[in-house]
Amino acid sequence: MNKEERAMKGLWDIFKKRIWLDSFKMKDRLKGYNPSEIHCIAYIGEDEDSNVTKLAESFGMTRGAISKLTKKLVKKGLIESYQKPNNNKEVYFELTEQGKTIYDIHEEMHREFKDRDQPFFEQVTEEQLDIILGFAKKYNMHLDTEIKKLGVDMKSDNL
């Protein structure tokens, strides 16, 4: 395996372990809610005037998929929809008290994950972080270029 392959494998291993570790803890504290529901609740909790369009753009999902997800969250009593008095066309979402509880648990867990990883990041130098950030930026730009070459809309393909 050459250096590029080892680097990509190393990044993939980090990603998988972080997802596994975080989801392992979240599954216990947020039973009964899937990751899409939790992230939708988090977005609505952080963004005033959340609507289907904003959610679809943020998650790279279709408006239809977001409509289905938000209907599910309304049915579970986690969010409610509303319209502004001067705009009867657009439907917005806000958290219910039950949704705020889930949001608070999610935020608390993110703080716990950050605290868990902080001792590691205290050992990383500014120079090392700059190198990682530069790599991530350049590689993301490369991938964006490759996606554009395909003529694919990431949002409509749920990437």
Side-chain angles (χ1 to χ4, degrees), residues 4-20 135:
E4 289 89 359
E5 291 168 331
R6 288 195 326 259
M8 292 306 293
K9 182 181 180 329
L11 291 171
W12 183 244
D13 288 347
I14 290 168
F15 181 73
K16 288 189 306 185
K17 288 174 186 174
R18 172 85 194 268
I19 295 296
W20 183 87
F135 171 83

Side-chain angles (χ1 to χ4, degrees), residues 10-70:
L11 291 171
W12 183 244
D13 288 347
I14 290 168
F15 181 73
K16 288 189 306 185
K17 288 174 186 174
R18 172 85 194 268
I19 295 296
W20 183 87
L21 195 54
D22 293 359
S23 65
F24 181 80
K25 291 192 171 220
M26 282 192 169
K27 284 178 188 173
D28 185 49
R29 301 257 325 262
L30 294 168
K31 285 181 184 157
Y33 305 103
N34 68 42
S36 296
E37 293 170 333
I38 293 166
H39 287 112
C40 189
I41 289 166
Y43 186 93
I44 292 169
E46 292 166 8
D47 184 58
E48 219 174 278
D49 297 334
S50 294
N51 60 26
V52 170
T53 302
K54 282 184 176 181
L55 290 165
E57 288 173 0
S58 174
F59 296 146
M61 295 172 69
T62 64
R63 290 170 43 107
I66 292 295
S67 290
K68 190 182 288 188
L69 177 58
T70 54

Side-chain angles (χ1 to χ4, degrees), residues 44 48-52 54 79-84 86-87 89-94:
I44 292 169
E48 219 174 278
D49 297 334
S50 294
N51 60 26
V52 170
K54 282 184 176 181
I79 65 171
E80 52 194 14
S81 61
Y82 67 94
Q83 290 182 305
K84 293 182 178 183
N86 58 346
N87 183 351
K89 180 182 172 192
E90 198 67 51
V91 175
Y92 299 92
F93 302 103
E94 63 186 1

